Amino acid sequence: MTPALLAIACLTLVTFGYGGLCAASPFGDCRRCRGMGHQLKTDRKGRLKRGKDCRRCKATGKRIRTGRRLYNRWARIYRTGTTRPEGTR
């Protein structure tokens, strides 16, 4: 197998794998709070305590994946382009 075909096969496999991941699990953990929804702080004794809510994910701990966001945008554009205007049959 030539290197070009091998590269194409690997890219195709990665693309379909990521597409399957976005279809099966459209939400991933927030990168800032690592899915906890808040930051961790330590008090003066060194014990962990809850910090402020994460502003990026609004304390949910989840974010929408990039592939799913692209799919949602494509579906919205497609849906508005193929629907009939109101009042026509």
Side-chain angles (χ1 to χ4, degrees):
M1 190 181 257
T2 65
L5 284 176
L6 184 63
I8 290 170
C10 287
L11 285 174
T12 304
L13 183 68
V14 168
T15 302
F16 283 125
Y18 184 69
L21 177 69
C22 289
S25 176
F27 295 98
D29 288 339
C30 176
R31 291 186 185 114
R32 178 176 280 176
C33 64
R34 297 186 196 106
M36 294 185 66
H38 56 84
Q39 295 289 333
L40 290 177
K41 289 187 171 185
T42 56
D43 60 4
R44 295 193 301 179
K45 292 183 179 179
R47 294 183 298 217
L48 289 176
K49 65 181 223 176
R50 191 178 197 280
K52 290 183 179 180
D53 287 343
C54 179
R55 289 179 16 190
R56 178 181 253 175
C57 65
K58 299 182 179 95
T60 62
K62 296 293 179 186
R63 64 170 177 84
I64 191 162
R65 294 184 196 274
T66 305
R68 186 61 183 209
R69 181 172 290 139
L70 290 173
Y71 172 77
N72 288 347
R73 183 168 293 168
W74 173 82
R76 187 180 313 119
I77 291 170
Y78 181 80
R79 199 176 318 117
T80 57
T82 57
T83 57
R84 292 184 183 172
E86 290 185 31
T88 62
R89 287 192 168 222

Coordinates of all heavy atoms in Angstrom, one line a residue:
M1 N 0.9 -1.2 0.0 CA 0.0 0.0 0.0 C 0.9 1.2 0.0 O 1.8 1.3 0.8 CB -0.9 0.0 1.2 CG -2.0 1.0 1.2 SD -3.0 0.9 2.7 CE -4.4 0.1 2.1
T2 N 0.6 2.2 -0.8 CA 1.4 3.4 -0.9 C 1.1 4.3 0.3 O 0.1 4.2 0.9 CB 1.1 4.1 -2.2 OG1 -0.2 4.6 -2.2 CG2 1.4 3.3 -3.4
P3 N 2.1 5.1 0.6 CA 1.9 6.0 1.7 C 0.7 7.0 1.6 O 0.0 7.3 2.6 CB 3.2 6.9 1.8 CG 4.2 6.0 1.1 CD 3.5 5.2 0.1
A4 N 0.4 7.4 0.3 CA -0.8 8.3 0.1 C -2.1 7.5 0.4 O -3.0 8.1 1.1 CB -0.8 8.8 -1.3
L5 N -2.2 6.3 0.0 CA -3.4 5.5 0.3 C -3.5 5.2 1.7 O -4.6 5.2 2.3 CB -3.4 4.2 -0.5 CG -3.7 4.3 -2.0 CD1 -3.6 3.0 -2.7 CD2 -5.1 4.9 -2.2
L6 N -2.4 5.0 2.4 CA -2.4 4.7 3.8 C -2.9 5.9 4.6 O -3.7 5.8 5.5 CB -1.0 4.3 4.3 CG -0.9 3.9 5.8 CD1 -1.8 2.7 6.0 CD2 0.5 3.6 6.1
A7 N -2.4 7.1 4.2 CA -2.8 8.4 4.8 C -4.3 8.6 4.6 O -5.0 9.0 5.5 CB -2.0 9.5 4.3
I8 N -4.8 8.4 3.4 CA -6.2 8.6 3.1 C -7.1 7.6 3.9 O -8.1 8.0 4.5 CB -6.5 8.4 1.6 CG1 -5.9 9.6 0.8 CG2 -8.0 8.3 1.3 CD1 -5.9 9.4 -0.7
A9 N -6.6 6.4 4.0 CA -7.4 5.4 4.8 C -7.4 5.8 6.3 O -8.5 5.7 6.9 CB -6.8 4.0 4.6
C10 N -6.3 6.3 6.8 CA -6.3 6.7 8.2 C -7.1 7.9 8.5 O -7.9 7.9 9.5 CB -4.8 7.0 8.7 SG -3.8 5.5 8.8
L11 N -7.1 8.9 7.6 CA -7.9 10.0 7.8 C -9.4 9.7 7.7 O -10.3 10.2 8.4 CB -7.6 11.1 6.7 CG -6.3 11.9 7.0 CD1 -5.9 12.8 5.8 CD2 -6.4 12.6 8.3
T12 N -9.8 8.8 6.8 CA -11.1 8.4 6.6 C -11.6 7.6 7.9 O -12.7 7.9 8.4 CB -11.3 7.4 5.4 OG1 -10.8 8.1 4.3 CG2 -12.7 7.0 5.2
L13 N -10.8 6.8 8.4 CA -11.1 6.1 9.7 C -11.3 7.0 10.8 O -12.3 6.9 11.6 CB -10.0 5.0 10.0 CG -10.3 4.2 11.2 CD1 -11.4 3.2 10.9 CD2 -9.0 3.4 11.5
V14 N -10.4 8.0 11.0 CA -10.5 9.0 12.1 C -11.8 9.8 11.9 O -12.5 10.1 12.9 CB -9.2 9.9 12.1 CG1 -9.4 11.1 13.0 CG2 -8.0 9.0 12.6
T15 N -12.1 10.2 10.7 CA -13.2 11.1 10.4 C -14.5 10.3 10.8 O -15.4 10.9 11.5 CB -13.3 11.5 9.0 OG1 -12.1 12.2 8.7 CG2 -14.5 12.4 8.7
F16 N -14.7 9.1 10.3 CA -15.9 8.3 10.6 C -15.9 8.0 12.1 O -17.0 7.9 12.7 CB -15.9 7.1 9.8 CG -16.4 7.3 8.4 CD1 -15.6 6.9 7.3 CD2 -17.6 8.0 8.1 CE1 -16.0 7.2 6.0 CE2 -18.0 8.3 6.8 CZ -17.2 7.9 5.8
G17 N -14.8 7.7 12.7 CA -14.8 7.5 14.2 C -15.3 8.7 15.0 O -16.1 8.5 15.9
Y18 N -14.8 9.9 14.6 CA -15.2 11.1 15.3 C -16.7 11.4 15.0 O -17.4 11.8 15.9 CB -14.3 12.3 14.9 CG -14.7 13.5 15.6 CD1 -14.4 13.6 17.0 CD2 -15.3 14.6 15.0 CE1 -14.7 14.8 17.7 CE2 -15.6 15.7 15.7 CZ -15.3 15.8 17.1 OH -15.6 17.0 17.8
G19 N -17.1 11.1 13.8 CA -18.5 11.3 13.5 C -19.4 10.4 14.3 O -20.5 10.8 14.8
G20 N -19.0 9.1 14.5 CA -19.7 8.2 15.3 C -19.7 8.6 16.8 O -20.8 8.5 17.5
L21 N -18.6 9.2 17.2 CA -18.6 9.6 18.6 C -19.5 10.8 18.8 O -20.2 10.9 19.8 CB -17.1 10.1 19.0 CG -16.9 10.7 20.4 CD1 -17.1 9.6 21.4 CD2 -15.6 11.3 20.5
C22 N -19.5 11.7 17.9 CA -20.4 12.9 18.0 C -21.9 12.5 17.9 O -22.7 13.1 18.5 CB -20.1 13.9 16.9 SG -18.6 14.8 17.1
A23 N -22.2 11.4 17.1 CA -23.6 11.0 17.0 C -24.0 10.2 18.3 O -25.1 10.4 18.8 CB -23.7 10.0 15.8
A24 N -23.1 9.4 18.9 CA -23.4 8.7 20.1 C -23.4 9.5 21.3 O -24.2 9.3 22.2 CB -22.4 7.5 20.2
S25 N -22.4 10.4 21.4 CA -22.3 11.2 22.6 C -22.0 12.7 22.2 O -20.8 13.1 22.1 CB -21.1 10.7 23.5 OG -20.9 11.5 24.6
P26 N -23.0 13.5 22.0 CA -22.8 14.8 21.4 C -22.2 15.8 22.4 O -21.7 16.8 22.0 CB -24.2 15.3 21.0 CG -25.1 14.5 21.8 CD -24.4 13.2 22.1
F27 N -22.2 15.5 23.7 CA -21.6 16.4 24.7 C -20.4 15.7 25.3 O -20.3 14.6 25.6 CB -22.6 16.7 25.8 CG -23.8 17.4 25.3 CD1 -25.0 16.8 25.0 CD2 -23.8 18.8 25.1 CE1 -26.1 17.5 24.6 CE2 -24.9 19.5 24.7 CZ -26.0 18.8 24.4
G28 N -19.4 16.6 25.5 CA -18.1 16.1 26.2 C -17.9 17.0 27.5 O -18.7 17.9 27.8
D29 N -16.9 16.6 28.2 CA -16.6 17.4 29.4 C -16.1 18.8 29.1 O -15.3 18.9 28.1 CB -15.6 16.6 30.3 CG -16.2 15.4 30.9 OD1 -17.4 15.3 31.0 OD2 -15.4 14.5 31.3
C30 N -16.4 19.7 29.9 CA -15.9 21.1 29.8 C -14.4 21.0 30.0 O -13.9 20.4 30.9 CB -16.5 22.0 30.8 SG -15.9 23.7 30.8
R31 N -13.6 21.8 29.2 CA -12.2 21.7 29.3 C -11.7 22.5 30.4 O -10.6 22.3 31.0 CB -11.6 22.2 28.0 CG -11.8 21.3 26.8 CD -11.0 21.8 25.6 NE -11.3 21.0 24.5 CZ -12.0 21.3 23.4 NH1 -12.4 22.6 23.3 NH2 -12.2 20.5 22.4
R32 N -12.4 23.6 30.8 CA -11.9 24.4 31.9 C -12.1 23.8 33.3 O -11.1 23.7 34.1 CB -12.6 25.8 31.9 CG -12.2 26.7 33.0 CD -12.8 28.0 32.9 NE -12.1 28.8 32.0 CZ -12.5 30.0 31.6 NH1 -13.5 30.6 32.2 NH2 -11.8 30.7 30.7
C33 N -13.2 23.3 33.5 CA -13.5 22.7 34.9 C -13.4 21.2 34.9 O -13.6 20.5 35.9 CB -14.9 23.1 35.4 SG -16.2 22.5 34.4
R34 N -13.0 20.6 33.7 CA -12.9 19.1 33.6 C -14.1 18.3 33.9 O -14.1 17.3 34.5 CB -11.7 18.6 34.4 CG -10.4 19.2 34.0 CD -9.2 18.6 34.7 NE -8.1 19.4 34.6 CZ -7.6 20.1 35.6 NH1 -8.1 20.2 36.7 NH2 -6.5 20.9 35.4
G35 N -15.3 18.9 33.6 CA -16.6 18.2 33.8 C -17.2 18.3 35.2 O -18.2 17.7 35.5
M36 N -16.6 19.1 36.1 CA -17.1 19.2 37.4 C -18.1 20.3 37.6 O -18.9 20.3 38.5 CB -15.9 19.4 38.4 CG -15.0 18.2 38.5 SD -13.8 18.4 39.8 CE -14.7 18.4 41.2
G37 N -18.0 21.3 36.8 CA -19.0 22.4 36.9 C -18.5 23.6 37.7 O -19.1 24.6 37.9
H38 N -17.4 23.4 38.4 CA -16.8 24.4 39.3 C -15.3 24.2 39.4 O -14.8 23.1 39.1 CB -17.5 24.4 40.6 CG -17.4 23.1 41.3 ND1 -16.4 22.7 42.1 CD2 -18.3 22.1 41.4 CE1 -16.6 21.4 42.5 NE2 -17.8 21.1 42.1
Q39 N -14.6 25.2 39.9 CA -13.2 25.0 40.2 C -13.0 24.5 41.6 O -13.9 24.7 42.4 CB -12.5 26.4 40.0 CG -12.5 27.0 38.6 CD -11.6 26.2 37.7 OE1 -10.6 25.6 38.1 NE2 -11.9 26.2 36.4
L40 N -11.9 23.9 41.8 CA -11.5 23.5 43.2 C -10.6 24.5 43.8 O -9.7 24.9 43.2 CB -10.9 22.1 43.2 CG -11.8 20.9 42.8 CD1 -11.1 19.6 42.8 CD2 -13.0 20.8 43.8
K41 N -10.8 24.8 45.1 CA -9.9 25.6 45.8 C -9.4 24.9 47.1 O -10.0 23.9 47.5 CB -10.6 26.9 46.2 CG -10.9 27.9 45.1 CD -11.4 29.1 45.6 CE -11.5 30.2 44.6 NZ -12.0 31.5 45.1
T42 N -8.4 25.4 47.7 CA -8.0 24.8 49.0 C -8.1 25.9 50.0 O -7.9 27.1 49.8 CB -6.5 24.4 48.9 OG1 -5.7 25.4 48.5 CG2 -6.4 23.2 47.9
D43 N -8.5 25.5 51.2 CA -8.5 26.4 52.3 C -7.1 26.6 52.9 O -6.1 26.0 52.4 CB -9.5 26.0 53.4 CG -9.3 24.7 54.0 OD1 -8.3 24.1 53.7 OD2 -10.1 24.2 54.8
R44 N -7.0 27.3 54.0 CA -5.6 27.5 54.6 C -5.0 26.3 55.2 O -3.8 26.2 55.3 CB -5.7 28.6 55.6 CG -6.1 29.9 54.9 CD -5.9 31.1 55.8 NE -6.6 31.0 57.1 CZ -6.6 32.0 58.0 NH1 -5.8 33.0 57.8 NH2 -7.3 31.9 59.1
K45 N -5.8 25.3 55.5 CA -5.3 24.0 56.0 C -4.9 23.1 54.9 O -4.4 22.0 55.1 CB -6.3 23.4 56.9 CG -6.5 24.1 58.2 CD -7.5 23.4 59.1 CE -7.7 24.1 60.4 NZ -8.7 23.4 61.2
G46 N -5.2 23.4 53.6 CA -4.9 22.6 52.5 C -6.0 21.6 52.1 O -5.7 20.8 51.2
R47 N -7.1 21.7 52.7 CA -8.2 20.8 52.3 C -8.9 21.4 51.1 O -9.0 22.6 50.9 CB -9.2 20.7 53.4 CG -8.7 20.0 54.6 CD -9.7 19.8 55.7 NE -10.1 21.2 56.1 CZ -10.4 21.5 57.4 NH1 -10.4 20.5 58.3 NH2 -10.8 22.7 57.7
L48 N -9.4 20.5 50.2 CA -10.1 21.0 49.0 C -11.5 21.4 49.4 O -12.2 20.9 50.2 CB -10.2 19.8 48.0 CG -8.9 19.4 47.3 CD1 -9.2 18.2 46.4 CD2 -8.4 20.6 46.5
K49 N -11.9 22.5 48.7 CA -13.3 23.0 48.8 C -13.8 23.5 47.5 O -13.0 23.7 46.6 CB -13.5 24.0 49.9 CG -12.7 25.3 49.6 CD -12.9 26.3 50.8 CE -13.2 27.6 50.3 NZ -13.5 28.6 51.3
R50 N -15.1 23.6 47.4 CA -15.7 24.0 46.1 C -15.5 25.5 45.9 O -15.6 26.3 46.7 CB -17.2 23.8 46.2 CG -17.9 23.9 44.9 CD -19.4 23.6 45.1 NE -20.1 23.3 43.9 CZ -20.6 24.2 43.1 NH1 -20.3 25.5 43.3 NH2 -21.2 23.9 42.0
G51 N -15.1 25.8 44.6 CA -14.9 27.2 44.2 C -16.1 27.7 43.5 O -17.2 27.3 43.6
K52 N -15.8 28.7 42.7 CA -16.8 29.4 41.9 C -17.3 28.5 40.8 O -16.6 27.6 40.3 CB -16.3 30.7 41.3 CG -16.0 31.8 42.2 CD -15.6 33.0 41.4 CE -15.3 34.2 42.4 NZ -14.9 35.3 41.6
D53 N -18.6 28.7 40.3 CA -19.1 28.0 39.2 C -18.4 28.4 38.0 O -17.9 29.5 37.8 CB -20.6 28.4 39.0 CG -21.5 27.8 40.1 OD1 -21.1 26.8 40.7 OD2 -22.7 28.2 40.2
C54 N -18.3 27.4 37.1 CA -17.6 27.6 35.8 C -18.4 28.5 34.9 O -19.6 28.2 34.6 CB -17.3 26.3 35.1 SG -16.4 26.4 33.6
R55 N -17.8 29.6 34.4 CA -18.6 30.5 33.5 C -18.6 29.9 32.1 O -19.6 30.3 31.3 CB -17.9 31.8 33.5 CG -18.1 32.5 34.8 CD -17.5 33.9 34.9 NE -17.1 34.5 33.6 CZ -16.3 35.6 33.6 NH1 -15.9 36.2 34.7 NH2 -16.0 36.1 32.4
R56 N -17.7 29.1 31.7 CA -17.7 28.6 30.3 C -18.9 27.7 30.1 O -19.5 27.7 29.0 CB -16.4 27.9 30.0 CG -16.3 27.3 28.6 CD -15.0 26.6 28.4 NE -14.2 27.4 27.5 CZ -13.0 27.1 27.2 NH1 -12.4 26.1 27.8 NH2 -12.3 27.9 26.4
C57 N -19.1 26.7 31.0 CA -20.2 25.8 30.8 C -21.4 26.1 31.6 O -22.4 25.3 31.6 CB -19.7 24.4 31.1 SG -19.2 24.1 32.8
K58 N -21.4 27.2 32.3 CA -22.5 27.6 33.1 C -22.9 26.6 34.2 O -24.0 26.2 34.5 CB -23.8 27.9 32.3 CG -23.5 29.1 31.3 CD -24.7 29.4 30.6 CE -24.5 30.6 29.6 NZ -24.1 30.2 28.3
A59 N -21.8 26.0 34.8 CA -21.9 25.0 35.9 C -22.6 23.7 35.5 O -23.0 23.0 36.4 CB -22.6 25.6 37.1
T60 N -22.6 23.4 34.2 CA -23.2 22.1 33.9 C -22.1 21.0 33.8 O -22.4 19.8 33.9 CB -23.9 22.1 32.5 OG1 -22.9 22.5 31.5 CG2 -25.0 23.1 32.5
G61 N -20.9 21.4 33.5 CA -19.8 20.5 33.3 C -19.7 19.9 31.9 O -18.8 19.1 31.7
K62 N -20.6 20.3 31.0 CA -20.6 19.7 29.7 C -20.5 20.8 28.6 O -20.8 21.9 28.9 CB -22.0 19.0 29.5 CG -22.1 17.8 30.4 CD -21.1 16.7 30.0 CE -21.3 15.5 30.9 NZ -20.2 14.5 30.7
R63 N -20.0 20.4 27.5 CA -19.9 21.3 26.3 C -20.3 20.5 25.1 O -20.2 19.2 25.1 CB -18.5 21.8 26.1 CG -17.5 20.7 25.8 CD -16.2 21.2 25.4 NE -15.3 20.0 25.2 CZ -15.2 19.3 24.1 NH1 -16.0 19.6 23.1 NH2 -14.4 18.3 24.0
I64 N -20.8 21.1 24.1 CA -21.1 20.5 22.8 C -19.9 20.3 22.0 O -19.0 21.1 21.9 CB -22.2 21.2 22.1 CG1 -22.8 20.4 21.0 CG2 -21.8 22.5 21.6 CD1 -24.1 20.8 20.5
R65 N -19.7 19.1 21.4 CA -18.5 18.8 20.6 C -18.5 19.6 19.3 O -19.6 20.0 18.8 CB -18.5 17.3 20.3 CG -18.3 16.4 21.5 CD -18.1 15.0 21.1 NE -18.3 14.1 22.2 CZ -17.3 13.7 23.0 NH1 -16.1 14.2 22.9 NH2 -17.6 12.9 24.0
T66 N -17.4 19.8 18.8 CA -17.2 20.6 17.6 C -17.9 20.0 16.4 O -18.6 20.7 15.6 CB -15.7 20.8 17.2 OG1 -15.1 21.4 18.4 CG2 -15.6 21.8 16.1
G67 N -17.8 18.7 16.2 CA -18.4 18.0 15.1 C -20.0 18.1 15.2 O -20.7 18.2 14.2
R68 N -20.5 18.0 16.4 CA -21.9 18.0 16.6 C -22.4 19.5 16.3 O -23.5 19.7 15.8 CB -22.3 17.6 18.0 CG -23.8 17.5 18.3 CD -24.4 16.5 17.3 NE -25.8 16.5 17.5 CZ -26.6 15.4 17.3 NH1 -26.0 14.3 16.9 NH2 -27.9 15.5 17.5
R69 N -21.6 20.5 16.7 CA -22.0 21.8 16.5 C -22.0 22.1 14.9 O -23.0 22.7 14.4 CB -21.0 22.8 17.1 CG -21.3 24.3 16.9 CD -20.4 25.2 17.7 NE -20.8 25.0 19.1 CZ -19.9 25.0 20.1 NH1 -18.6 25.0 19.8 NH2 -20.3 24.9 21.3
L70 N -21.1 21.6 14.2 CA -21.1 21.7 12.7 C -22.3 21.0 12.1 O -22.9 21.5 11.2 CB -19.8 21.1 12.2 CG -18.5 22.0 12.4 CD1 -17.3 21.2 11.9 CD2 -18.6 23.3 11.8
Y71 N -22.6 19.8 12.6 CA -23.8 19.1 12.1 C -25.1 19.8 12.4 O -25.9 19.9 11.5 CB -23.8 17.7 12.7 CG -25.1 17.0 12.4 CD1 -25.3 16.4 11.1 CD2 -26.2 16.9 13.3 CE1 -26.5 15.8 10.8 CE2 -27.4 16.3 13.0 CZ -27.5 15.7 11.7 OH -28.7 15.1 11.4
N72 N -25.2 20.4 13.6 CA -26.4 21.1 13.9 C -26.6 22.3 13.0 O -27.7 22.7 12.6 CB -26.4 21.6 15.4 CG -26.6 20.4 16.4 OD1 -27.0 19.3 16.0 ND2 -26.3 20.7 17.6
R73 N -25.5 23.0 12.8 CA -25.5 24.2 11.9 C -25.9 23.8 10.5 O -26.7 24.4 9.8 CB -24.2 24.9 11.9 CG -24.2 26.2 11.0 CD -23.0 27.0 11.2 NE -23.1 27.5 12.6 CZ -22.0 28.1 13.2 NH1 -20.9 28.2 12.6 NH2 -22.2 28.5 14.4
W74 N -25.3 22.7 10.0 CA -25.7 22.2 8.6 C -27.1 21.8 8.6 O -27.8 22.1 7.6 CB -24.8 21.0 8.3 CG -25.2 20.4 7.0 CD1 -24.9 20.8 5.7 CD2 -26.1 19.2 6.8 NE1 -25.5 19.9 4.8 CE2 -26.2 19.0 5.4 CE3 -26.7 18.4 7.7 CZ2 -27.0 18.0 4.9 CZ3 -27.5 17.4 7.2 CH2 -27.6 17.2 5.8
A75 N -27.6 21.1 9.6 CA -29.0 20.7 9.6 C -30.0 21.9 9.6 O -31.0 21.9 9.0 CB -29.3 19.7 10.8
R76 N -29.6 22.9 10.4 CA -30.5 24.1 10.5 C -30.5 24.8 9.1 O -31.6 25.2 8.7 CB -30.0 25.0 11.5 CG -30.9 26.2 11.8 CD -30.3 27.1 12.9 NE -29.9 26.4 14.1 CZ -28.6 26.4 14.5 NH1 -27.7 27.1 13.9 NH2 -28.2 25.8 15.6
I77 N -29.4 24.9 8.5 CA -29.4 25.6 7.1 C -30.2 24.8 6.1 O -30.9 25.3 5.3 CB -27.9 25.8 6.7 CG1 -27.3 26.9 7.6 CG2 -27.9 26.2 5.2 CD1 -25.8 27.0 7.4
Y78 N -30.0 23.5 6.2 CA -30.7 22.6 5.2 C -32.2 22.7 5.5 O -33.0 22.7 4.5 CB -30.2 21.2 5.4 CG -30.9 20.2 4.5 CD1 -30.4 20.1 3.1 CD2 -31.9 19.4 4.9 CE1 -31.1 19.2 2.3 CE2 -32.5 18.5 4.0 CZ -32.1 18.4 2.7 OH -32.7 17.5 1.9
R79 N -32.6 22.6 6.7 CA -34.0 22.7 7.1 C -34.7 24.0 6.6 O -35.8 23.9 6.1 CB -34.2 22.5 8.6 CG -35.5 22.1 9.0 CD -35.6 21.8 10.5 NE -34.4 21.1 11.1 CZ -33.6 21.7 12.0 NH1 -33.8 22.9 12.5 NH2 -32.6 21.0 12.5
T80 N -34.0 25.1 6.8 CA -34.6 26.4 6.4 C -34.6 26.5 4.9 O -35.5 27.2 4.3 CB -33.9 27.6 7.0 OG1 -32.5 27.5 6.7 CG2 -34.0 27.5 8.5
G81 N -33.7 25.9 4.2 CA -33.6 26.0 2.7 C -34.6 25.1 2.0 O -34.9 25.3 0.9
T82 N -35.1 24.0 2.7 CA -36.0 23.1 2.0 C -37.4 23.2 2.4 O -38.3 22.6 1.8 CB -35.5 21.6 2.3 OG1 -35.5 21.4 3.7 CG2 -34.2 21.4 1.7
T83 N -37.7 24.0 3.4 CA -39.1 24.2 3.8 C -39.8 25.2 2.9 O -39.2 26.1 2.4 CB -39.2 24.6 5.3 OG1 -38.5 25.9 5.4 CG2 -38.7 23.6 6.2
R84 N -41.1 25.0 2.7 CA -41.9 25.9 1.9 C -42.2 27.2 2.7 O -42.4 27.1 3.9 CB -43.2 25.2 1.5 CG -43.0 24.1 0.5 CD -44.4 23.6 0.1 NE -44.2 22.4 -0.7 CZ -45.2 21.7 -1.1 NH1 -46.4 22.0 -0.7 NH2 -45.0 20.7 -1.9
P85 N -42.3 28.3 2.0 CA -42.7 29.5 2.7 C -44.2 29.4 3.1 O -44.9 28.6 2.5 CB -42.5 30.6 1.6 CG -41.7 30.0 0.5 CD -41.8 28.5 0.6
E86 N -44.5 30.1 4.1 CA -45.9 30.0 4.6 C -46.9 30.6 3.6 O -46.6 31.6 2.9 CB -46.0 30.7 5.9 CG -45.3 30.0 7.1 CD -45.6 30.7 8.4 OE1 -46.7 31.3 8.6 OE2 -44.7 30.7 9.2
G87 N -48.0 30.0 3.5 CA -49.0 30.5 2.6 C -49.0 29.9 1.2 O -49.8 30.2 0.3
T88 N -48.0 29.0 0.9 CA -48.0 28.3 -0.4 C -48.3 26.9 -0.2 O -48.1 26.3 0.8 CB -46.6 28.4 -1.0 OG1 -45.6 27.8 -0.2 CG2 -46.2 29.9 -1.2
R89 N -48.8 26.3 -1.3 CA -49.1 24.8 -1.2 C -48.2 24.1 -2.0 O -47.7 23.8 -2.8 CB -50.6 24.6 -1.6 CG -51.5 25.1 -0.6 CD -52.9 24.6 -0.9 NE -53.6 24.9 0.3 CZ -54.5 24.0 0.8 NH1 -54.7 22.9 0.2 NH2 -55.2 24.3 1.9

